[in-house]
Amino acid sequence: MATILVAGVDLFFRGKLDAALGGAHRLVTAESIDPPDLVIVDIARVDPDEVADAYPETPILGFTNHTDTAGLRRAHAAGFDRVVVRSALAEQASDIVAELVR
């Protein structure tokens, strides 16, 4: 079971992520004292550079709406390990997380 920090993720989408992951991982916020095994970031709500600086040794998965091409580019430039559109994450969360948490 991995500890996954969710940053900027709204409550509705967090519930979708939790359901898609089948409870196999523990979702936490920045207030958690446990170091994360993965960080999932809503690029539209959180600055990608700040997240990359805060978690340099942790895999980072960023997502945003398909129309936010500037946000997708910012996340790639910040060095995120994976950047996807929101709909792809909702559909493939389990597979994507499994790739990043090894």
Side-chain angles (χ1 to χ4, degrees):
M1 175 182 282
T3 298
I4 301 173
L5 170 69
V6 289
V9 178
D10 66 69
L11 216 48
F12 175 73
F13 196 71
R14 181 184 169 140
K16 288 180 92 169
L17 274 177
D18 205 18
L21 295 173
H25 303 288
R26 189 167 71 100
L27 302 182
V28 299
T29 61
E31 289 79 31
S32 174
I33 60 170
D34 296 326
D37 299 305
L38 173 67
V39 178
I40 298 179
V41 182
D42 185 339
I43 300 163
R45 295 175 171 227
V46 178
D47 182 343
D49 289 318
E50 288 181 15
V51 174
D53 289 345
Y55 300 96
E57 301 299 319
T58 305
I60 303 173
L61 166 60
F63 72 92
T64 191
N65 294 321
H66 69 280
T67 58
D68 185 10
T69 55
L72 294 168
R73 283 193 302 274
R74 281 193 326 271
H76 279 291
F80 281 23
D81 296 276
R82 185 89 184 263
V83 181
V84 298
V85 295
R86 178 184 293 263
S87 59
L89 181 57
E91 293 172 6
Q92 304 167 13
S94 185
D95 293 335
I96 294 170
V97 168
E99 281 178 26
L100 295 170
V101 182
R102 293 184 185 227

